[in-house]
Amino acid sequence: MDTLPEISTTEEAARFLRLQKQTLEAWRLRGTGPAFLKLGRRVVYRREALERFMDERERRSTSDAQEIP
């Protein structure tokens, strides 16, 4: 797993999750992505929130029930 600071920007979080920055931005608008913090105008992600987001989506089979972001 890539190393990630305790608090990361959208760009850092997207790289960590191997997603496009725009994906995280779209998920924020819909409320379906990882939890984030609003610090003034800045959006940041806690490392633990990103790890929890991944853990919640871990599956053993493609037929496992899952949320669609």
Side-chain angles (χ1 to χ4, degrees):
M1 194 176 297
D2 292 347
T3 59
L4 189 70
E6 184 62 33
I7 301 292
S8 60
T9 65
T10 300
E11 292 83 3
E12 292 168 328
R15 209 172 350 196
F16 178 72
L17 296 173
R18 290 177 170 62
L19 297 169
Q20 295 293 316
K21 174 185 160 199
Q22 294 84 351
T23 300
L24 283 178
E25 292 167 346
W27 286 354
R28 276 201 311 265
L29 286 172
R30 293 192 307 236
T32 58
F36 62 93
L37 300 169
K38 245 335 231 188
L39 302 176
R41 292 182 176 189
R42 291 186 58 213
V43 172
V44 294
Y45 292 86
R46 288 187 174 140
R47 180 178 52 222
E48 67 186 40
L50 297 172
E51 291 171 346
R52 183 174 51 247
F53 180 76
M54 288 191 304
D55 289 344
E56 291 168 351
R57 280 148 184 77
E58 187 171 16
R59 305 289 185 254
R60 297 206 181 273
S61 166
T62 57
S63 63
D64 283 354
Q66 66 182 23
E67 297 176 28
I68 299 174

